[in-house]
Each structure stands twice: as structure tokens, then as C-alpha cells.
Amino acid sequence: MTDQKLTRTPDAVSTDTAVMRALKKIRTPAKQRNRELGLLLFAIAVYGGAVTLVQLGVNGTVEPGFLTLAAIPAVLALITHVALRLRARDADPFVLPIATVLTGLGIAMIYRIDLADGASGWDATGHRQIAWAAIAMVLALVVLIFVSNYRVLFRYTYLFGLAGILLLLLPFVPGLGTEQNADVWVSLGFVSFQPGELAKICLAIFFAGYLVRTRESLTSTGTRFLFMTWPRARELGPVLVIWLVSLGIIVLQRDLGTGLLIFGMFVAMLYVATGKTSWVLIGLVLVASGAFLASQVLPYVNGRFANWLNAFDPDVVNREGGSYQLVQGIFGLAHGGLFGTGLGQGRPSITPLAQSDYIIPSLGEELGLVGLFAILALYMVFASRGIRIGLAGQDDFGKLLATGFSFTIALQVFIMVGGVTRVIPLTGLTTPFLAAGGSSLIANWIIVAFLLRISDAVRSRPRVVIG
């Protein structure tokens, strides 16, 4: 018998290649989801350990009842992981574990302050925070399942813009607004919430859709000066409009934080859309000029600047609306030192609003500088993964949306941490995932759902382009 030379036909080669591609597609998402499961289990362990250490540090015993209640967000996180395996197998594996561990640490610290104040049952902020976390995670799961293609949001760009403006105006509706330091709360009788938290999501979708539609005119050739291309005067219109809207929020609602957040988000998305550094410089100039004008005209803004510049002046500390809260938070951070007093061993409750506005100093006192840096590193990874999700795809709308959401979280953390550490004047924002409050928690978990959905689309359908 003669030897027969074995050859591979083109059909066999193409079939083999298709099989290998299919196998790779099956294995890669499984690897991502397995990595997510490992990180998620570690996040849940950190959460459970923090709650247990709080109970041991304050009471010396473990209370099984609260641990059972605290397990609800952990179970929902695992359910979300299962949903990702079924509906978004290519989603980023880091976003969900980071959001889970930050939410868990916030619940643990809020519960610790409840124990110091003697609060228990549903009158305690920690119990309500668990309920809000459960609601937020369920809503995120609903968004993840039913918004299977986030690109449909592009069709409703201007509708989301209108919804964002209406949400910001909602506190001025007679019968809905509440008597607070800032006109940002709405009361429905059985519950109060901040519509501005949901407004930032609507406005992020609007900004992304608007910039996709108008990018060509915004990136047109301008004047070359100082190694940068500056836009023409007629192209400054959108930035000036958003700047005026932000000033309106500061003036009418007495909400410095939301005004800065919305304008900063728009400028960041504008830079990503155009690639022009000049837009960033223009935005910084407008922010500085707006802050200066507000500090000269508005008494409450002027008071915040006075508290910032003269925080340790006895007259400023002791006056009504003075810097007492800021100083107490700084002393708490100093008391924590490098490694902290230990969970349940500090005195964070002596700072007013320690579970909401000042939860960062509360955590810094009991976890120390090392623990606080670990939390900030988690925020940094979360924001970087979100920006990576945006920049990795070729979908212009998804790129801007993911970048806008990620920058919003990062900017909010900077504004809050900078405020309580006296780097910048204090504003009225909340620390994402950590601070007590349902509105912020719901909005941030919805952002998590969108980032997961966008990351899945980037990996599974990278060539789809809009705009």
C-alpha cells in the first residue's frame, strides 16, 4: 500500500476555526464570571466580618438577628451574579463585587453608630439602610434584565433631558417639597427622597445622546493658541447653558454639590466626545468664576467658604451653622491614626450626621488611614473600570455614557472626601454606596447595572457604532 498524504480542505479549516471561536467564547465569559464569583465571596466575607466586629466591639457578643437581616444584600448580590451568568456573560467582573463591599461597609458603620446612639428596630438607620440596599439591588437587577440593549436609550435623548430637568424642579412643587437646609427633598408622605439623584442618571443619558448628535460641530476647527485648539464663540453655547443650569441649582435649591456634579459630568463627557483639552480649561474657569460669584452673593455659600478657610477659629466653630461638624470630623480622623481604633472601639457618633455626610471620618476613625486608603482604592478601581468599559468600545453613545457615569462617581467621592478633610469647601453630596440614604443608593446601583450592561455589549458586540 502506498502512503496517502493527508491534506486539510478549506472547509475543514473553516469549520475548525469556527469551533475554536465558539469554544473561546464559551470559556472566556465563564472565566470572567468565575473571577467575579471569587471576588464577590470575598466582598461578602468582608461585609459579614465588619458587622460581626462591630457587634463584638460595642456589645462583646454577636447578635444573630441583625446578621440574618444583613445577609439580604449579600443574597441579592449572589442572585445578581447568577443573572449575569445568564443574561450578561461578558460583563466586567469587578464592578459588582466593589459595589457590594462598599455597600456592606456602609451598612456596618451605620449600624455601629446606631448601637452608640441606642437606636434599634426600624427606628435605627442601619435597618432602613439594609432595606434601601435591597430595594436598590432589586431595581438594578430589573434594569440589568429588562434593558437588554442600552442603545435604545439613544432614541429618547431629549425625553431623558426633560425628565432630568423636571426631577430637579420637583422639590418646588407645592405640597411635595420639605423644610430642609436645601430644597432638594421631596416627600410623598410615607417616604422622602432626593430627585436630584435620579436626575443625574437622566441627564447623563441626555448628555451622551446630545454629544453624539452634535460632536461634529463641537470638534470643528477653531483658533489655535497655546498649543491647543480653542472652540469658536458660537460653540460655547451648550457649555454656557449647562453652567447657567448649574448656577440655577446652586441659587434656587441652595445645593452647591449637585450643581458642581452636573456641570463637571458634562465637561468630562464633552472632553471624551471631542478630545479637546481646551474644553476642560474652559470648564475649570467657569467653575472658578461661578464659585466666586456664589460666595459673594449667596450667604450660605459664603458661610461654607468661611467654615473652610477658618475652620479652627473659635468664633466660627461655635456659631450657628459654623465649622463644629467639620472640626469634629477632623479630630475623629486624627484619633484613628494610621490603623484606627478598631470597629466598635472609636467614638464616631459624637460628630453630627456621622452616618451620612460624615461617614468617611467615621470609617477613618475606626479603620485608620490604611483602611480609608483601601476604600479610596476601591473607588479608584471602580471608576477606572468604568472608564475602561467606555474607552474599550466603538459605540459612541455607550462610550460617553459609561465614562459619564464613572466620572460622576469619582467626582462625587472627591467632593465629599475633599470636603470632610478640608481640601475644598464642604457641599451637600453623599458618599456613593457608603452614606445613609435610599436615593443615593438606588441611583448608584442603577449606575452599576448600566455599567455591567455596557461592558457586556462592548465585549460581545464591539463593532456596533451609533453616531
Side-chain angles (χ1 to χ4, degrees), residues 192-264:
S192 298
F193 70 98
Q194 290 179 278
E197 291 291 340
L198 298 177
K200 70 182 182 183
I201 296 177
C202 295
L203 291 176
I205 297 172
F206 166 69
F207 292 157
Y210 171 79
L211 290 173
V212 167
R213 287 180 166 90
T214 60
R215 184 180 55 183
E216 293 300 328
S217 62
L218 294 173
T219 55
S220 59
T221 304
T223 304
R224 189 74 179 173
F225 180 67
L226 293 178
F227 308 103
M228 287 181 288
T229 302
W230 297 82
R232 294 171 296 185
R234 66 184 183 184
E235 296 165 356
L236 294 175
V239 177
L240 294 177
V241 169
I242 302 301
W243 181 65
L244 291 174
V245 169
S246 301
L247 285 180
I249 294 171
I250 295 172
V251 173
L252 298 177
Q253 293 190 330
R254 302 193 298 277
D255 187 3
L256 181 61
T258 301
L260 289 174
L261 187 67
I262 290 175
F263 184 72

Side-chain angles (χ1 to χ4, degrees), residues 417-437:
V417 175
V420 299
T421 56
R422 207 183 163 211
V423 174
I424 59 175
L426 189 66
T427 66
L429 291 176
T430 57
T431 309
F433 301 108
L434 290 175

Side-chain angles (χ1 to χ4, degrees), residues 248-294:
I249 294 171
I250 295 172
V251 173
L252 298 177
Q253 293 190 330
R254 302 193 298 277
D255 187 3
L256 181 61
T258 301
L260 289 174
L261 187 67
I262 290 175
F263 184 72
M265 176 174 61
F266 179 73
V267 172
M269 295 172 73
L270 182 60
Y271 170 71
V272 173
T274 63
K276 287 186 177 181
T277 309
S278 56
W279 285 116
V280 178
L281 297 179
I282 292 171
L284 291 175
V285 170
L286 289 175
V287 167
S289 59
F292 176 77
L293 290 174

Side-chain angles (χ1 to χ4, degrees), residues 408-460:
T408 299
I409 296 292
L411 181 60
Q412 197 165 339
V413 172
F414 170 75
I415 290 175
M416 279 309 302
V417 175
V420 299
T421 56
R422 207 183 163 211
V423 174
I424 59 175
L426 189 66
T427 66
L429 291 176
T430 57
T431 309
F433 301 108
L434 290 175
S439 307
S440 175
L441 206 55
I442 288 174
N444 291 320
W445 270 98
I446 291 176
I447 288 176
V448 167
F450 276 120
L451 289 177
L452 291 171
R453 177 54 66 193
I454 295 171
S455 64
D456 176 64
V458 165
R459 288 190 173 97
S460 60

